[in-house]
Structure formats: C-alpha cells, structure tokens
Amino acid sequence: MHSVLIAAAEEAAAHTNELPFSPVVFGVGAFVGLTAMLLFTFAFRSVGTRH
C-alpha cells in the first residue's frame, strides 16, 4: 500500500501543472482588459458636470 502511494506521489511531483497558454498571452490579455476598463471609465469622465 505504501509503495503505491509513494509511486503516485513521485509521478504527481514529476508531472507539474502547466498553464493552458503561454505566459505572454496572459500578460497581453491583462493589458487589453485593463486598457478597455480605462477607456470605459474615461468615457464617463464628465457625466457629473453635465447636470
């Protein structure tokens, strides 16, 4: 029983979790998302002064 658990642990340690995309894709996605939120916020910059 112990040898099975040890073998499973060694196999799990050797097989690390890999990202589904390249790290560059995550960086570009974050940059695009944050830029979109910035532009959305910038579009409503003068709403308070209209009334």
Side-chain angles (χ1 to χ4, degrees), residues 6-30:
I6 292 172
E10 288 177 354
E11 184 176 339
H15 182 72
T16 59
N17 293 335
E18 297 178 5
L19 294 174
F21 304 110
S22 171
V24 175
V25 174
F26 286 105
V28 170

Side-chain angles (χ1 to χ4, degrees), residues 17-46:
N17 293 335
E18 297 178 5
L19 294 174
F21 304 110
S22 171
V24 175
V25 174
F26 286 105
V28 170
F31 180 76
V32 169
L34 291 172
T35 304
M37 288 189 286
L38 173 69
L39 293 174
F40 182 78
T41 304
F42 189 70
F44 292 99
R45 70 187 183 279
S46 62

